[in-house]
Amino acid sequence: MKISAKVDYALQAVVEIAVATKKDSLISTEEIASRRDIPEKFLEGILTLLRKSGVINSYRGPSGGYELAKKPQDIAVADIIRIIDGPLAAVRGFAPEEIEYAGPVKHVADVWIATRASLRNVLENISIADILSGDFDVSVSKLLNEKDARKRRKA
Amino acid sequence: MKISAKVDYALQAVVEIAVATKKDSLISTEEIASRRDIPEKFLEGILTLLRKSGVINSYRGPSGGYELAKKPQDIAVADIIRIIDGPLAAVRGFAPEEIEYAGPVKHVADVWIATRASLRNVLENISIADILSGDFDVSVSKLLNEKDARKRRKA
DNA sequence: CTATTTTCCTACTATACTACTAGGAATTAA
DNA sequence: TTAATTCCTAGTAGTATAGTAGGAAAATAG
């Protein structure tokens, strides 16, 4: 269950682009890369994916750069993850319901279904606007306020 | 956010072992492998990890095999994932709170914290006993009964 | 005591993925 | 025309995933 560097970078990049767009300006790859300490050429590839999926628009030439193609409240974290990394939760590369669990292990399917549902509830419910404001949906705030939410679990 | 073959196999194996233990008998690697269609030698490595972590006991020789070392209700899915794959949610290999998100991206940290909290809520709350009975905690049942929980999301 | 069945242990392999890097072509603005 | 930008193709090193192979150690049944 790892969150890749690519997804983390993508999310940070989209937030930086959102900030620029709010000021009616464009932001370049180099600017994002240096602000967020992301390898520039690596970031380039990420921005290409976001553009091809219609999350951002791009303009070339001097004073070119990127802007958001949608309203910040209409871009969910889940969207970005799916664009960059594919499905939110895949078991051995398959969707949970595609695997056959026969006999006593039948309900193992439910474990992965519930896992996916839970990820959806969080990630579909956080938008770029929420990240900008820090003002999250109640369901998300509840998670953040849980005891030890910000602590690593003992092995 | 992929669930590895290893974790999926491990969970299935533990369930099969739980079934055997309930009948006061041992089950061999070969038996599990053939029942659940898991490569035998690959499964061997998985069972070694589970044994070293104290989830199962092993006995050698003819009529040897594995049994659960704990009660099924005391083994959570989260435990198995941590044994096999490491932390439930790691961002670029780090725990969410270890990464510095400065300036406007500050709240990106909260996204990953909430993601981890949400995974914990599901995976700490499903035990092997629950998988055997199919009778899950209310919080988990709620997730399973959500609309489209068993359907893939459109890209 | 021997044959057999099992776990246990070390090592190896092929493939894919992750996280990058390099070089230059196309576009646009000053 | 120059410089700044995105766009496009093609790499590469390292790590992780999903296995395989071969045999040693232990236990049981005969």
Side-chain angles (χ1 to χ4, degrees), chain A residues 109-121:
Chain A
D110 292 334
V111 174
W112 306 136
I113 302 266
T115 302
R116 182 179 58 182
S118 152
L119 285 173
R120 282 178 180 168
N121 283 345

Side-chain angles (χ1 to χ4, degrees), chain B residues 29-114:
Chain B
T29 309
E30 200 202 350
E31 183 70 21
I32 301 170
S34 75
R35 275 200 208 171
R36 305 272 78 266
D37 199 27
I38 300 171
E40 194 174 330
K41 278 294 192 178
F42 190 44
L43 178 59
E44 228 184 79
I46 293 167
L47 295 176
T48 298
L49 284 170
L50 292 169
R51 176 179 53 86
K52 288 187 175 161
S53 307
V55 172
I56 59 178
N57 294 323
S58 64
Y59 303 92
R60 301 207 251 195
S63 77
Y66 298 91
E67 68 179 7
L68 278 200
K70 306 173 171 191
K71 279 178 280 181
Q73 59 268 34
D74 293 340
I75 305 169
V77 174
D79 299 331
I80 294 172
I81 294 180
R82 292 207 187 88
I83 289 164
I84 302 293
D85 265 6
L88 285 191
V91 184
R92 295 191 253 149
F94 299 95
E97 66 274 357
E98 285 174 339
I99 303 180
E100 274 223 40
Y101 296 98
V105 303
K106 186 168 61 164
H107 294 292
V108 169
D110 293 334
V111 175
W112 306 136
I113 302 264

Side-chain angles (χ1 to χ4, degrees), chain A:
Chain A
M1 304 292 252
K2 356 196 132 109
I3 291 136
S4 66
K6 220 167 171 174
V7 161
D8 185 49
Y9 291 159
L11 192 50
Q12 294 187 54
V14 171
V15 171
E16 289 286 356
I17 294 168
V19 170
T21 302
K22 205 160 62 177
K23 296 184 215 151
D24 274 313
S25 67
L26 300 176
I27 186 168
S28 69
T29 309
E30 200 202 350
E31 184 69 22
I32 302 171
S34 76
R35 276 201 208 169
R36 306 273 76 272
D37 199 26
I38 300 171
E40 193 175 330
K41 278 295 192 177
F42 190 45
L43 177 60
E44 226 184 79
I46 293 168
L47 295 175
T48 299
L49 284 171
L50 292 170
R51 177 179 52 85
K52 287 186 175 164
S53 307
V55 172
I56 58 179
N57 295 323
S58 64
Y59 302 92
R60 301 207 251 197
S63 78
Y66 298 91
E67 69 180 5
L68 278 200
K70 306 173 173 192
K71 279 177 280 181
Q73 59 268 33
D74 292 340
I75 304 169
V77 175
D79 299 331
I80 294 171
I81 295 180
R82 291 207 187 89
I83 289 165
I84 302 294
D85 265 6
L88 285 189
V91 184
R92 294 191 251 149
F94 300 95
E97 67 273 358
E98 285 175 339
I99 303 180
E100 273 222 42
Y101 295 98
V105 303
K106 185 168 61 164
H107 294 291
V108 169
D110 292 334
V111 174
W112 306 136
I113 302 266
T115 302
R116 182 179 58 182
S118 152
L119 285 173
R120 282 178 180 168
N121 283 345
V122 177
L123 300 169
E124 298 280 4
N125 260 303
I126 305 181
S127 73
I128 297 303
D130 297 335
I131 297 175
L132 286 173
S133 69
D135 190 11
F136 298 98
D137 191 276
V138 217
S139 64
V140 175
S141 301
K142 249 182 210 169
L143 288 169
L144 292 173
N145 291 326
E146 274 177 17
K147 187 164 141 30
D148 293 337
R150 287 165 198 282
K151 284 187 184 137
R152 212 195 299 202
R153 209 39 77 94
K154 279 190 190 187

